[in-house]
Amino acid sequence: CDADAHCDEPACLADLPGGSACDEDSDCISSHCQNGYCCAAGDCCAGAADCPAGTYGVPASCDDPITCQGSRWDPVCTADFRCVVGPAVDDDSACAGLVSNDCGPYPAVVCTAATDQPSDQAALCAATCGTDTDCDPGAHCDGGVCVTDGDAGDPCIETRECGSGLSCVDGVCCTTACTGTCRACDVPGHVGTCWNIGAGEDPDGECAGFSCSDYYWGWVGDGCYRRVNAPDSAVSCDGAAACRTPAAVCPTLGQGALTLTCNALCQDPRTGTCTDTTAGACSNVTPSPPTTSCGTGYCLRTVDRCLAGVPQTCVPGSPIAESCNNVDDNCNGIVDDAVSGATDSGEPNNSCTSYNYLGTVAEANSAQSWTRTIYPSTDTGDYFRFYAEEGTHTCFPGTDQDYTVRVTLQPPTGADCRDYDLRLYNDSCTQIGSSSAGGCTADSLTYTWDGACGGDDSRYFRIGVVPYSGAWECRPYTLTVDMWQN
């Protein structure tokens, strides 16, 4: 090969510049192959990653724990492709776990494992708190700030504000729990130590009020009132580590709650009661009138207004099924309004075009009768249709044949008296007769038509029975129809 080439069997190849990958010295222009790369001398490289960290790097160290600052040295690949130890760089990770500032009553600040940490570690100390756990032992959180726990006699609101073994009593740190009645830990001259409270005093409000329900103020009208309960302010220490009793306090208090009311109808207040510790009592009286009634119809009941001083409730009787008896059996204020089975078989037939067919009424035969009802209140009327049939169809020549139908209505009478209007129509529902009778008397309508000798003079008619002024009744009316030749 030429002087600037080398044999890489089976060919001659140009020598390689620095930083090129090689496997023997002859591959390089510099005739030096080390660490898999060409360079002038030493360990060769193409980049920093090719340099062994154990040889050309120095691990991180903590230079100043107070500021959590440290350094390290990394391998560097030079411009002529040689490995060397690089310049120092910032790396604070070696300070991890070291205390940088004790922060007074706040938890200490500790360096982290971060590579880059602030040097002003004091600025990381907490300046506020939310709970006692945000403070050091021996301190507590007060208004968002950690403060040292108090000594005996120091003011406090809670025991957590006091030092170990102390309790917060009466607003100060106390050497004991001081639970005795009429004893306090803030007695002047003895602050911080449990001490007896003088008679008539209760600076900490330890003496609670009590009920005076056994003491009576007196009558007001029909009401007996007790004494008002003793408030805390009315009760104080008695000088012997106890509070004043109800017997000493209650008789001096004013009107309290109503405890008894004599019924104004059945009772009067009893003299000599509702005073001192004697409870109120009532005497029974008889009112005037002595009885009262309730309910309507079958449910009507009468009871004494008072019984043994107690007003009596008039309870109406239980309703029963309506029957057609002129009694309000179901007690709804309407007599015979829901009688079972009272509607007739012809319903619905509430218009001339919606009728009940009665069948045939033949000439000269006996009158035919039917019973129906105008019931219940929603029944606006009954309408019927019948066939008036001519009996014979022969006559003497030159003579006339006239026919008459008569419709008679007998409404309910007596206690069930109702007035119904009677109407007669032809088969086209044109009214050809009407009658309005009063006094529940029978009412009749007749209609005569001119027949023809030898022909069929039969025809259909329609009847209307209409309640007068909406009258209805469960008792039936009777409708009679007959026909004859004049």
Side-chain angles (χ1 to χ4, degrees):
C1 298
D2 288 343
D4 58 353
H6 62 277
C7 181
D8 194 349
E9 191 178 353
C12 288
L13 300 176
D15 291 339
L16 300 172
S20 300
C22 61
D23 52 23
E24 54 188 346
D25 290 342
S26 62
D27 292 343
C28 304
I29 295 175
S30 63
S31 297
H32 180 70
C33 178
Q34 179 70 26
N35 199 30
Y37 296 95
C38 296
C39 68
D43 284 330
C44 303
C45 57
D50 302 323
C51 300
T55 303
Y56 299 99
V58 178
S61 62
C62 186
D63 301 330
D64 184 2
I66 301 302
T67 61
C68 296
Q69 301 300 302
S71 303
R72 78 169 190 276
W73 289 261
D74 296 331
V76 171
C77 185
T78 63
D80 56 355
F81 305 106
R82 291 184 300 112
C83 291
V84 298
V85 176
V89 296
D90 288 337
D91 187 343
D92 305 334
S93 60
C95 297
L98 301 177
V99 176
S100 61
N101 198 295
D102 66 6
C103 299
Y106 294 91
V109 174
V110 178
C111 298
T112 70
T115 300
D116 186 17
Q117 301 181 52
S119 61
D120 186 6
Q121 290 290 300
L124 300 180
C125 289
T128 61
C129 59
T131 64
D132 290 350
T133 57
D134 296 332
C135 305
D136 276 344
H140 61 275
C141 188
D142 186 5
V145 179
C146 289
V147 296
T148 302
D149 292 340
D151 296 324
D154 287 343
C156 64
I157 297 176
E158 302 176 71
T159 295
R160 66 181 182 84
E161 301 172 10
C162 300
S164 177
L166 301 179
S167 299
C168 185
V169 182
D170 300 319
V172 297
C173 294
C174 189
T175 56
T176 67
C178 199
T179 57
T181 303
C182 286
R183 289 171 61 81
C185 212
D186 61 348
V187 176
H190 305 281
V191 177
T193 302
C194 192
W195 207 259
N196 288 342
I197 296 174
E201 299 179 5
D202 187 16
D204 296 323
E206 288 185 280
C207 288
F210 41 72
S211 171
C212 290
S213 59
D214 293 333
Y215 294 83
Y216 297 91
W217 184 85
W219 292 98
V220 176
D222 290 325
C224 174
Y225 291 81
R226 67 176 181 85
R227 296 282 180 178
V228 68
N229 290 338
D232 293 350
S233 60
V235 186
S236 61
C237 297
D238 64 0
C243 298
R244 297 176 67 200
T245 63
V249 177
C250 291
T252 66
L253 302 178
Q255 180 181 350
L258 178 67
T259 62
L260 172 69
T261 300
C262 295
N263 185 267
L265 177 67
C266 302
Q267 297 175 319
D268 286 333
R270 185 177 300 170
T271 303
T273 64
C274 195
T275 182
D276 297 326
T277 56
T278 302
C282 304
S283 297
N284 298 335
V285 297
T286 301
S288 179
T291 62
T292 184
S293 299
C294 62
T296 183
Y298 178 79
C299 300
L300 178 65
R301 298 292 184 271
T302 299
V303 298
D304 290 334
R305 296 174 70 194
C306 295
L307 181 63
V310 179
Q312 299 303 294
T313 300
C314 183
V315 179
S318 298
I320 60 175
E322 281 281 5
S323 62
C324 194
N325 59 359
N326 293 311
V327 176
D328 182 11
D329 296 305
N330 62 4
C331 309
N332 67 349
I334 304 174
V335 176
D336 295 345
D337 65 318
V339 177
S340 176
T343 56
D344 54 56
S345 60
E347 298 292 344
N349 61 341
N350 291 345
S351 70
C352 184
T353 57
S354 177
Y355 54 81
N356 174 223
Y357 185 60
L358 298 179
T360 298
V361 177
E363 171 194 347
N365 284 350
S366 299
Q368 296 188 51
S369 297
W370 300 266
T371 57
R372 298 288 189 270
T373 57
I374 300 295
Y375 188 85
S377 59
T378 54
D379 192 352
T380 58
D382 291 342
Y383 290 84
F384 307 93
R385 186 183 187 222
F386 69 92
Y387 185 62
E389 184 179 37
E390 179 184 355
T392 60
H393 300 284
T394 60
C395 61
F396 293 105
T399 62
D400 192 11
Q401 280 187 314
D402 294 330
Y403 296 93
T404 300
V405 293
R406 177 172 56 199
V407 180
T408 302
L409 171 66
Q410 176 60 64
T413 59
D416 302 295
C417 173
R418 294 292 184 273
D419 284 332
Y420 297 154
D421 292 344
L422 180 62
R423 299 170 184 173
L424 186 62
Y425 304 86
N426 63 21
D427 205 33
S428 298
C429 286
T430 299
Q431 185 171 301
I432 57 178
S434 66
S435 176
S436 298
C440 303
T441 59
D443 194 12
S444 294
L445 288 176
T446 59
Y447 181 77
T448 301
W449 69 99
D450 188 24
C453 186
D456 187 359
D457 297 313
S458 303
R459 62 177 62 186
Y460 286 96
F461 292 91
R462 302 192 189 192
I463 304 169
V465 179
V466 182
Y468 181 75
S469 298
W472 51 270
E473 171 58 41
C474 57
R475 296 292 182 189
Y477 62 85
T478 300
L479 187 66
T480 303
V481 180
D482 58 348
M483 174 187 174
W484 64 88
Q485 179 180 349
N486 296 330

